Amino acid sequence: MNIAFFITPKEDVVYLTPNSTMRQALESMEHHRYTSIPLVDDDGSYIGTLTEGDLLWKLKNTPELNFQNTNRILLNQIERHVHNKPVYINANIEDLILTSINQNFVPVVDDRNAFIGIVKRSDIISYCYNLLSLSVEKV
């Protein structure tokens, strides 16, 4: 099976750029109920994932920072503590599943590192559950 079957394409994914503000990240993550969000540069390349933890650590370690002035902090000023590994569009399904074990979503890139979209772990689990359900019904 090709991993393209699982992809949520870039145009349907909420992502931010390194020049987005901390406030934009907080509001976007709250609105969409995300715990992390992909970061894509101006050239369209995947550069990492921003997590709630990254935002909390920035807030904790910057004494003068509060919600009112988070619009002054750009995302490229926030240290990222977790590296969500992307997979290439031509990766095999085993690599996708192994990568998804420790990530809520897996970024998908092409051979130039251009961000294509994501594969959500929940979609992989649902697919596997449906396969198991079909196998049980046949028995």
Side-chain angles (χ1 to χ4, degrees):
M1 169 175 281
N2 188 312
I3 69 169
F5 174 79
F6 294 102
I7 290 179
T8 300
K10 178 181 180 179
E11 58 268 8
D12 295 334
V13 175
V14 175
Y15 61 90
L16 296 170
T17 71
N19 294 320
S20 300
T21 66
M22 184 174 180
R23 185 169 194 149
Q24 288 172 312
L26 288 163
E27 290 176 347
S28 183
M29 291 168 86
E30 177 186 29
H31 176 75
H32 296 284
R33 301 185 64 147
Y34 292 162
T35 58
S36 58
I37 196 163
L39 296 176
V40 177
D41 69 15
D42 292 335
D43 294 327
S45 296
Y46 170 74
I47 58 169
T49 297
L50 183 74
T51 68
E52 286 178 328
D54 299 330
L55 297 171
L56 289 171
W57 284 316
K58 179 67 174 175
L59 191 59
K60 175 190 171 283
N61 295 323
T62 312
E64 68 279 1
L65 186 60
N66 60 52
F67 183 73
Q68 273 59 33
N69 60 13
T70 55
N71 61 336
R72 297 184 196 147
I73 305 293
L74 299 180
L75 298 185
N76 62 13
Q77 299 171 292
I78 298 174
E79 181 181 355
R80 293 188 308 274
H81 296 85
V82 175
H83 177 69
N84 272 13
K85 180 182 166 193
V87 296
Y88 290 99
I89 187 64
N90 60 355
N92 62 46
I93 196 73
E94 291 82 10
D95 289 339
L96 176 66
I97 291 171
L98 287 173
T99 304
S100 73
I101 290 171
N102 296 312
Q103 299 177 193
N104 287 334
F105 65 86
V106 179
V108 181
V109 297
D110 67 12
D111 57 352
R112 295 171 307 165
N113 203 43
F115 181 69
I116 297 172
I118 64 171
V119 175
K120 295 177 268 185
R121 182 169 52 196
S122 61
D123 290 342
I124 297 169
I125 291 170
S126 293
Y127 176 78
C128 292
Y129 176 79
N130 289 335
L131 282 179
L132 288 172
S133 296
L134 290 174
S135 295
V136 170
E137 289 176 9
K138 290 181 181 180
V139 174

